[in-house]
Amino acid sequence: MDKTFDALLARMHELRDLGGVIGLASWDRETYLPTRAHEARSHQLSTLHGIQHERLVDPRLGELLAWASDAPRLTPDQRAMARVLTQERDRAVKLPRTLVKALAEAQSQGLQAWREAREERRFARFQHALSRLLALRREQADAYGHGGERYDALLDEYEPGMRVARLGPVLASLRDTLIRLVGALQAAPRQVPELFQGRRFDTEAQWRVSLRMLGDMGFELDSGRQDKSIHPFSSGLHPTDVRLTTDLDEHSLEGLFSTLHEGGHGLYEQGFQPAHHRTPLANAPSMGLHESQSRLWENLVGRGRPFWTHYFPLLRDAFSEGLTGVALDGFLAAINRVTPSFIRTAADEVTYNLHIVLRYELELLLIRDELPLDELPAAWNERMRRFLGITPPDDLQGVLQDIHWAWGEFGYFPTYALGNLYSASIYAAARRALPGLEEGIARGELRPLRDWLRDHVHAEGYRLPAEELVREVTGQGLTDVDFLAYLQSKFGALYGVTL
Amino acid sequence: MDKTFDALLARMHELRDLGGVIGLASWDRETYLPTRAHEARSHQLSTLHGIQHERLVDPRLGELLAWASDAPRLTPDQRAMARVLTQERDRAVKLPRTLVKALAEAQSQGLQAWREAREERRFARFQHALSRLLALRREQADAYGHGGERYDALLDEYEPGMRVARLGPVLASLRDTLIRLVGALQAAPRQVPELFQGRRFDTEAQWRVSLRMLGDMGFELDSGRQDKSIHPFSSGLHPTDVRLTTDLDEHSLEGLFSTLHEGGHGLYEQGFQPAHHRTPLANAPSMGLHESQSRLWENLVGRGRPFWTHYFPLLRDAFSEGLTGVALDGFLAAINRVTPSFIRTAADEVTYNLHIVLRYELELLLIRDELPLDELPAAWNERMRRFLGITPPDDLQGVLQDIHWAWGEFGYFPTYALGNLYSASIYAAARRALPGLEEGIARGELRPLRDWLRDHVHAEGYRLPAEELVREVTGQGLTDVDFLAYLQSKFGALYGVTL
């Protein structure tokens, strides 16, 4: 039996190694690839994906996994490894080759049409390609199988185990409370002025500060690195090789928050236990849980008073000119300013999830085929008015702003909201478990938090589905209670209102 | 028939894509890999090599190649593609798995023993591991097959088509003339003083100069890049993605010559014609011919008066302090100073090939099993005395200096000498074909040479074996005549003697 599991393990190793190499080739494409090499890199990545797919659907792997599903003497971890890989393999097996090919073509056409539509600032230009993508995604959902709700099958790729029936009510409750909070904050007598306009922050100094923060967080720079790319991202090639990127802009300090965000993802990837390396357990159980770790460091920690009590003096040293006349209180207010705005990626902590709920509601309607596509921009704008009280001046600042749908990605957006909700619940649990946590943070001691997260979240890997793991860590599953309590306390104090 | 060739071509593409990705993972290991990720990277590379080998020996590929070997309507290029891949596949098929595994283990043990022997400065510590490597390489030669000379089978991996019967006499003639030249130069009344000791050359400025030279040579920086690594190397992931590395030392300008060297390799890789991309024809036909391009730029061009007529003023600007009191003539003499020395990699153009012949003679004896291993250090030292008139003070500066044998590489060293010989013949042909070539170089015009090399050497790819291609380009095959004429003319003038 050991020998059979060894054969299965060897295939797991091979698949993870291929995944790591795909990660490397993708990271390199965004960082160091010569400009004329993009076509060659596409070919290389396509070849690697092809081999990975072929290995995954190999019937012999299916036999080994079938054996593992009722082999009596496996350890719990071995069982979990086999279970996770079985899920992944089942999805790959169920997807017909013709559909995979049609999707790849539709994605490419979708991107092209979306770019043209953006240039013309006109959704109609994108409508036909989007219609094709939606049809194929519905087909994909049917191929995977579902209990009547196609969206569940798509969501399951990013957030395994999550269902519309569970997610919908939580997001609806969150939406209603957030609309109320945004209104209350806008009506508050105390308002927060914009602070950063016209200031300049040397990008070399930002780079040094960002590396200092990563090191302080416990991101291990001998098992990872930070580079520059146009869009920041993180990529775990292996727990000893975790690559973050950042994009620094001399007119803004947002790059520092981006580093904290990617650093949070990076800590997750570095925190898988050695026994799980090169196996399917060295994975977060969901995108939402992964996002919880980036948002925890970016927002719960990184936009909080304890953190800046320690770092603001360092920041003043690094940007003495850029921060002229700015004190800690003003800085904290400015980095937490709440303003309804059109663009999701620039949204503050309070309004952000309304952008997500908007997309979730629309893509659920689209996948259900309950919203005619030519009504999509109007449906978008109507929700923007209802949720945030503003109307996009054009589709570029409305329905065309995100690349996700252009790429045919439906079911991904909710994971951003799940990340925010989970981040607050997990941070609340950390505060309960670690008395004096925030006093320590105010002294620059970030390691106790990292260590606690590593022990309770990261090292678990993919043993449990996301919500079960969250329940083990926090005592409860998905809820908006912790997140809303956090917003009410923090923004109530900042704006001088009771929320 | 077209469809069958398309199937073959798809497999060629896949193999080249895998090769490119292996190149990327290897390049990254030497440049940006986090220090703790080496074990993970070894696994990834081993997985990729395993898949590459599996694809290569796949019986279906064998069938396609067999079909191509007598398909009537293939183009000459299609035929050549199939021939090159057949050679590569035959070697892979002939190598038993057990031997591959034994070699990998022996290489690992060889490296380890060699490192320990270097620490103890004692060859005996390495002897046992070397003996094992030699035995396995003999076994490998027998597996490949040969006509009685095992060394031929090993040489063939690096220099396809070259044989001991052809190479031996040329190297023997070269050796005898070089011994005479070295003696004459040492006895010359005019001697060249060392110039660089104690000087300092800012590495940032060296970096800028090296990039400038690469650009001037016509190395396309939108299809390649230069980075830093401990040992300089070049790697062609694809003709649009050619990566060079350099190691700059503030106490030396050798890094600039290293850039010219790697740049020469890089031009070769960028010069394959688009119709050959992702096929076996986008390859140099031999390591020796590849080396001819690096040596041509490093030495024939890069240590010549025309080149420095243009670049020395730029160098003076970049290193005004480091080059205080140095004029063009003194600089040219210093970068061409001839001194018998122990270490091959630091050798000048005249003595360098004697280091190579020494290794060639010894490894031929070793593979033939005609030299007892415990006599190897003495045989090395005896040749050092006979060729260069000096005796290594210990094995570290003698038989233990190169990593090649520690890695079980036998048959590779001669390609360095072949590179030098071919470089002189090809450069002589270029001068004949391009009147005013060196006057142009003296004005900084390097592109005509690159374009000529691209048209006549690089773009040919692997259509012909190396020596046949050289014959087409220069009118003759392997010879030491051009190389010796070059040395005699250049060093005779420098040292004021008739050679």
Side-chain angles (χ1 to χ4, degrees):
Chain A
M1 189 192 75
D2 277 349
K3 237 177 124 180
T4 313
F5 191 81
D6 284 349
L8 178 56
L9 195 59
R11 282 165 181 264
M12 290 174 175
H13 287 167
E14 189 185 57
L15 284 166
R16 287 315 295 254
D17 289 344
L18 279 170
V21 172
I22 289 171
L24 173 66
S26 307
W27 167 85
D28 181 77
R29 185 180 53 192
E30 308 301 325
T31 51
Y32 295 117
L33 189 71
T35 50
R36 288 188 53 215
H38 279 272
E39 191 185 329
R41 181 54 47 86
S42 294
H43 286 310
Q44 290 159 350
L45 277 166
S46 159
T47 287
L48 289 173
H49 282 296
I51 291 170
Q52 193 185 41
H53 182 263
E54 177 198 293
R55 302 306 234 216
L56 194 55
V57 302
D58 181 3
R60 177 66 189 141
L61 177 59
E63 289 164 21
L64 288 167
L65 288 170
W67 164 84
S69 71
D70 61 291
R73 277 167 39 203
L74 297 184
T75 66
D77 270 9
Q78 289 174 330
R79 249 176 244 294
M81 286 173 196
R83 194 179 57 237
V84 171
L85 186 54
T86 299
Q87 282 169 9
E88 193 190 340
R89 182 172 185 279
D90 283 351
R91 266 200 294 267
V93 167
K94 285 173 176 170
L95 218 54
R97 286 222 158 206
T98 49
L99 181 54
V100 172
K101 208 169 155 231
L103 263 168
E105 276 166 27
Q107 285 179 314
S108 164
Q109 285 160 13
L111 269 180
Q112 179 63 23
W114 175 69
R115 289 200 180 106
E116 289 167 11
R118 281 174 62 87
E119 270 178 34
E120 298 175 20
R121 294 172 184 251
R122 207 167 58 89
F123 170 76
R125 181 74 196 72
F126 173 52
Q127 187 176 321
H128 178 73
L130 180 59
S131 161
R132 172 80 179 139
L133 282 164
L134 281 163
L136 290 170
R137 288 299 185 198
R138 287 187 204 109
E139 212 178 300
Q140 180 177 5
D142 292 344
Y144 286 161
H146 51 80
E149 181 70 79
R150 282 179 172 136
Y151 194 83
D152 281 345
L154 302 178
L155 185 59
D156 200 70
E157 278 218 74
Y158 309 110
E159 199 67 26
M162 187 50 66
R163 297 288 175 265
V164 168
R166 169 96 184 103
L167 178 66
V170 177
L171 292 189
S173 150
L174 177 68
R175 175 198 62 204
D176 294 343
T177 310
L178 287 178
I179 291 173
R180 193 176 57 69
L181 289 193
V182 172
L185 289 173
Q186 288 199 280
R190 191 195 301 163
Q191 287 296 313
V192 171
E194 211 288 324
L195 186 71
F196 297 112
Q197 194 95 44
R199 295 179 182 262
R200 214 193 128 270
F201 308 96
D202 178 60
T203 52
E204 292 286 324
Q206 288 195 49
W207 180 257
R208 285 192 298 274
V209 170
S210 71
L211 281 176
R212 161 82 183 261
M213 286 176 174
L214 284 176
D216 291 351
M217 284 167 73
F219 181 79
E220 289 153 3
L221 285 158
D222 57 0
S223 296
R225 37 183 305 117
Q226 182 177 255
D227 295 271
K228 288 163 191 165
S229 71
I230 292 175
H231 300 290
F233 66 95
S234 63
S235 178
L237 281 50
H238 183 273
T240 60
D241 190 3
V242 178
R243 308 201 178 190
L244 318 178
T245 70
T246 186
D247 164 37
L248 300 174
D249 170 5
E250 66 169 359
H251 300 297
S252 159
L253 288 174
E254 276 305 305
L256 297 181
F257 296 98
S258 157
T259 287
L260 292 171
H261 181 99
E262 302 307 337
H265 282 306
L267 289 182
Y268 206 148
E269 293 291 318
Q270 289 189 338
F272 299 123
Q273 53 178 284
H276 294 172
H277 289 184
R278 299 176 80 217
T279 82
L281 290 190
N283 256 324
S286 82
M287 302 299 293
L289 200 59
H290 219 307
E291 186 76 1
S292 79
Q293 299 304 287
S294 57
R295 296 297 264 182
L296 187 153
W297 287 96
E298 177 193 358
N299 289 338
L300 283 287
V301 175
R303 294 186 197 268
R305 178 174 294 274
F307 185 82
W308 290 106
T309 299
H310 177 72
Y311 282 102
F312 190 68
L314 299 175
L315 218 57
R316 296 264 331 222
D317 287 348
F319 309 106
S320 48
E321 211 178 308
L323 289 173
T324 304
V326 180
L328 175 59
D329 280 338
F331 180 80
L332 275 172
I335 64 173
N336 285 296
R337 190 163 174 260
V338 177
T339 340
S341 63
F342 300 118
I343 303 298
R344 173 185 63 85
T345 55
D348 57 79
E349 283 183 90
V350 180
T351 59
Y352 186 89
N353 289 294
L354 288 169
H355 289 267
I356 300 306
V357 176
L358 177 153
R359 285 153 178 76
Y360 165 72
E361 291 183 0
L362 292 177
E363 60 183 28
L364 184 60
L365 289 173
L366 291 172
I367 291 294
R368 285 177 174 171
D369 213 358
E370 291 177 359
L371 177 67
L373 264 190
D374 56 3
E375 294 175 19
L376 178 59
W380 180 290
N381 294 350
E382 183 273 324
R383 275 176 180 74
M384 280 300 280
R385 274 191 296 277
R386 184 147 47 89
F387 293 180
L388 289 167
I390 55 177
T391 307
D394 58 27
D395 292 341
L396 205 56
Q397 297 192 62
V399 66
L400 290 175
Q401 70 182 261
D402 283 316
I403 199 172
H404 301 57
W405 292 348
W407 191 241
E409 223 163 31
F410 304 98
Y412 187 89
F413 277 121
T415 69
Y416 292 128
L418 289 168
N420 289 320
L421 301 186
Y422 284 150
S423 75
S425 296
I426 290 169
Y427 189 67
R431 289 186 65 184
R432 289 193 298 273
L434 300 171
L437 171 66
E438 299 207 320
E439 291 80 355
I441 292 176
R443 293 189 300 269
E445 295 159 12
L446 306 177
R447 293 296 180 100
L449 177 58
R450 185 209 71 165
D451 292 344
W452 187 87
L453 291 168
R454 176 164 288 188
D455 291 346
H456 293 83
V457 181
H458 311 164
E460 286 298 306
Y462 199 163
R463 281 170 167 160
L464 298 175
E467 194 178 357
E468 274 187 52
L469 177 54
V470 170
R471 188 172 287 117
E472 290 225 338
V473 174
T474 70
Q476 60 190 347
L478 177 63
T479 172
D480 62 356
V481 169
D482 296 306
F483 181 69
L484 288 170
Y486 158 69
L487 292 188
Q488 281 157 339
S489 155
K490 174 170 161 179
F491 292 91
L494 189 61
Y495 280 79
V497 286
T498 305
L499 296 171
Chain B
M1 190 194 75
D2 276 350
K3 234 176 126 182
T4 313
F5 191 81
D6 283 349
L8 178 56
L9 194 60
R11 281 164 182 265
M12 291 174 174
H13 287 166
E14 188 185 57
L15 284 165
R16 287 313 297 254
D17 289 344
L18 278 170
V21 171
I22 288 171
L24 173 68
S26 307
W27 167 85
D28 181 77
R29 184 180 54 191
E30 308 301 326
T31 50
Y32 296 118
L33 189 71
T35 51
R36 288 188 54 214
H38 280 271
E39 191 184 329
R41 181 54 47 85
S42 295
H43 287 308
Q44 289 159 352
L45 277 166
S46 160
T47 288
L48 288 173
H49 282 295
I51 292 170
Q52 194 184 39
H53 182 265
E54 177 198 293
R55 303 307 237 216
L56 193 56
V57 302
D58 181 3
R60 177 66 189 142
L61 177 60
E63 290 164 20
L64 288 167
L65 289 170
W67 164 85
S69 71
D70 62 293
R73 278 168 37 203
L74 296 184
T75 67
D77 270 10
Q78 287 174 331
R79 249 175 245 294
M81 286 174 196
R83 194 180 57 239
V84 171
L85 186 53
T86 300
Q87 282 168 10
E88 194 190 339
R89 182 172 186 278
D90 282 351
R91 267 201 293 267
V93 167
K94 283 174 177 171
L95 218 53
R97 286 224 159 204
T98 49
L99 182 54
V100 173
K101 210 172 153 226
L103 264 168
E105 274 166 28
Q107 285 178 314
S108 163
Q109 283 159 15
L111 269 180
Q112 179 64 21
W114 175 71
R115 288 199 180 106
E116 289 166 11
R118 281 174 62 87
E119 269 178 34
E120 298 175 21
R121 295 172 182 252
R122 206 167 59 88
F123 169 76
R125 183 72 197 73
F126 173 51
Q127 186 176 321
H128 178 74
L130 180 59
S131 161
R132 172 80 179 141
L133 281 164
L134 282 163
L136 291 170
R137 287 300 184 198
R138 289 188 203 108
E139 213 179 300
Q140 180 178 4
D142 292 342
Y144 286 161
H146 50 81
E149 181 69 82
R150 281 181 172 136
Y151 194 82
D152 281 345
L154 301 178
L155 185 59
D156 201 72
E157 279 217 73
Y158 309 110
E159 199 67 26
M162 187 49 66
R163 297 288 175 265
V164 168
R166 170 96 185 105
L167 178 67
V170 177
L171 292 189
S173 151
L174 177 68
R175 176 198 62 205
D176 294 344
T177 310
L178 287 178
I179 291 174
R180 194 176 58 68
L181 289 192
V182 172
L185 289 174
Q186 287 200 281
R190 190 195 300 163
Q191 287 295 311
V192 171
E194 210 289 324
L195 185 74
F196 297 112
Q197 193 92 46
R199 294 180 182 263
R200 218 194 124 270
F201 308 96
D202 178 60
T203 52
E204 292 286 325
Q206 289 194 49
W207 181 256
R208 286 192 298 272
V209 170
S210 71
L211 281 176
R212 162 84 184 261
M213 287 175 172
L214 284 176
D216 291 350
M217 286 167 73
F219 181 79
E220 290 153 4
L221 286 159
D222 57 1
S223 296
R225 38 183 304 117
Q226 181 177 255
D227 295 270
K228 289 163 191 163
S229 71
I230 291 176
H231 301 290
F233 66 95
S234 62
S235 179
L237 281 51
H238 182 274
T240 58
D241 190 4
V242 178
R243 307 202 177 189
L244 317 177
T245 70
T246 187
D247 164 39
L248 301 174
D249 170 5
E250 66 168 359
H251 301 296
S252 159
L253 288 175
E254 275 306 305
L256 298 182
F257 296 97
S258 156
T259 287
L260 292 171
H261 181 100
E262 303 307 336
H265 282 305
L267 289 182
Y268 207 148
E269 293 290 319
Q270 288 189 339
F272 300 123
Q273 54 179 283
H276 295 173
H277 290 184
R278 299 176 79 218
T279 82
L281 291 190
N283 257 324
S286 82
M287 301 299 293
L289 199 60
H290 219 307
E291 186 76 1
S292 79
Q293 299 304 289
S294 56
R295 297 297 262 181
L296 188 151
W297 287 96
E298 176 192 358
N299 290 337
L300 283 286
V301 174
R303 292 186 198 269
R305 178 175 295 273
F307 185 83
W308 290 107
T309 299
H310 177 72
Y311 283 102
F312 190 67
L314 299 174
L315 219 56
R316 295 266 329 225
D317 287 348
F319 309 107
S320 48
E321 212 178 307
L323 290 173
T324 304
V326 179
L328 175 59
D329 280 338
F331 179 79
L332 274 172
I335 64 172
N336 285 296
R337 189 164 174 261
V338 177
T339 339
S341 63
F342 300 117
I343 303 298
R344 173 184 63 85
T345 54
D348 56 80
E349 283 183 89
V350 179
T351 58
Y352 186 88
N353 290 293
L354 288 170
H355 289 268
I356 300 304
V357 176
L358 177 153
R359 285 153 179 75
Y360 165 72
E361 292 183 359
L362 292 177
E363 60 183 27
L364 183 60
L365 290 173
L366 291 173
I367 291 296
R368 285 176 173 173
D369 211 356
E370 290 177 359
L371 177 68
L373 265 189
D374 55 2
E375 293 175 20
L376 177 61
W380 179 290
N381 293 350
E382 184 273 325
R383 276 176 178 74
M384 281 300 281
R385 274 192 296 277
R386 184 147 49 91
F387 294 0
L388 289 167
I390 55 177
T391 308
D394 58 27
D395 292 340
L396 205 55
Q397 297 193 62
V399 67
L400 291 175
Q401 71 183 260
D402 282 317
I403 199 172
H404 302 57
W405 292 348
W407 191 242
E409 225 165 29
F410 304 98
Y412 187 89
F413 276 121
T415 69
Y416 291 128
L418 289 168
N420 289 319
L421 301 186
Y422 285 150
S423 74
S425 297
I426 291 170
Y427 189 67
R431 287 186 66 185
R432 289 194 298 274
L434 300 170
L437 171 66
E438 298 206 321
E439 290 80 354
I441 291 176
R443 293 188 298 270
E445 295 159 12
L446 306 177
R447 293 295 181 100
L449 178 58
R450 185 208 72 164
D451 291 345
W452 186 88
L453 291 168
R454 176 165 286 188
D455 290 347
H456 293 82
V457 181
H458 311 164
E460 285 298 306
Y462 199 162
R463 281 169 167 163
L464 297 174
E467 194 178 359
E468 276 187 51
L469 176 55
V470 170
R471 187 172 287 117
E472 291 226 334
V473 174
T474 70
Q476 59 190 347
L478 178 63
T479 172
D480 61 357
V481 169
D482 297 306
F483 181 68
L484 289 171
Y486 158 71
L487 291 188
Q488 282 157 340
S489 155
K490 174 168 161 181
F491 291 92
L494 189 63
Y495 279 80
V497 286
T498 307
L499 293 172

